[in-house]
Amino acid sequence: MPVERLETRIARRYGGLSHKLREAADYVIAHPVEVATRSLRSISASSSVSPATFSRLARALEFDSYESLRELSRQVVGAQIVTFSEKAAQLRAPGEGEAAMLDRQVGACMSNLAALTQEIDRTQLQTAVDRLAQARRVMLFGAFASHGVAEHVAYLTNYIQADWTVVSHTATPLAASLETLTPEDVFLVITKTPYARRAVLATRMAREQGASTLVLTDSHACPALMHADIGFCVPSDSPQFFSSYVATLALMETLVAMLVSQSQDDVSEKIRLVEERNERLGDFWAD
């Protein structure tokens, strides 16, 4: 069984925390090793947050005590030791220049994938798949770089079902599309730091319409999570100036694969028919 991510637990409740509790939560996320290994008094001195506030945070996160929170942090840190050492090995560049950059980038991606595999809530993952499978329609929205990921996933799912659509990032189509959502629909949002304002507001509006909301992001502090029925914080670390989408793509493709595997329909026949129509339309190069 994978160890539950402390960040996942915090993300689910972050929107309802007070300013002081958010400060404590941010410190816990940013300093997992210190929380796991140092006393509460020492953590309080380093963070300028009172011990009582950390204790209140633990209760707000539904732990029996701060010590229970600390124990989960220890387990998560322990589970990550191999991952961190592997990442360090990957980042040891053999030399300067492009080869070293490749090692750094691939090493970061491998670390993100390892963290995703170890830390994701498998029960929540299955719940997300079930909601997507039962939905009358799935509407995807990704602003900026996330838009391309949404397009990729919609392309894959349209081989097996025609009710996944990508909402345009322009103003009128998004507003009009949100108005059509019902409690039978799922609104799936992909957003990374810095978070698109429209992604946050659209998630809130979709929930107000009664639709199920599914958010894929990169931090417990993402404001869209407070409007999410299901949220995933996907590792997106990168040595570059941009966030990495490798782990996010892996998660999205896993969702599609799980939908296919548990479908009661003849998925192979659907895919065959789509491929046949592609061939008749001459969509792909043929000698």
Side-chain angles (χ1 to χ4, degrees), residues 40 60 66 74 80 102 130 143-144 165 199 205 214 220 222 285:
L40 177 56
Y66 175 78
R74 285 175 180 149
Q80 290 177 335
L102 176 63
D130 292 341
F144 306 116
T165 57
M205 292 177 187
L214 174 57
H220 68 285
C222 172
W285 178 266

Side-chain angles (χ1 to χ4, degrees), residues 4-6 9-10 13 28 54-73:
E4 179 188 23
R5 293 185 74 194
L6 186 55
R9 185 176 290 208
I10 289 175
R13 300 163 179 83
V28 167
F54 281 107
S55 295
R56 288 199 304 273
L57 173 65
R59 291 194 295 273
L61 298 178
E62 299 181 7
F63 289 103
D64 294 334
S65 63
Y66 175 78
E67 189 57 37
S68 297
L69 181 155
R70 187 183 181 199
E71 179 58 31
L72 179 56
S73 188

Side-chain angles (χ1 to χ4, degrees), residues 126-138:
Q126 184 60 59
T127 300
V129 172
D130 292 341
R131 292 213 185 177
L132 292 169
Q134 295 162 9
R136 175 182 71 101
R137 178 180 51 162
V138 178

Side-chain angles (χ1 to χ4, degrees), residues 115-190:
L116 174 68
T117 302
Q118 292 176 356
E119 300 164 5
I120 194 168
D121 185 328
R122 304 300 175 103
T123 300
Q124 185 171 248
L125 177 61
Q126 184 60 59
T127 300
V129 172
D130 292 341
R131 292 213 185 177
L132 292 169
Q134 295 162 9
R136 175 182 71 101
R137 178 180 51 162
V138 178
M139 190 179 293
L140 301 99
F141 180 72
F144 306 116
S146 298
H147 183 73
V149 177
E151 290 275 10
H152 172 64
V153 174
Y155 173 80
L156 294 179
T157 54
N158 278 312
Y159 267 88
I160 57 174
Q161 53 194 75
D163 51 8
W164 285 53
T165 57
V166 179
V167 185
S168 171
H169 57 278
T170 55
T172 304
L174 175 58
S177 298
L178 288 168
E179 183 62 27
T180 68
L181 286 172
T182 74
E184 297 178 305
D185 301 326
V186 171
F187 188 66
L188 194 162
V189 176
I190 308 167

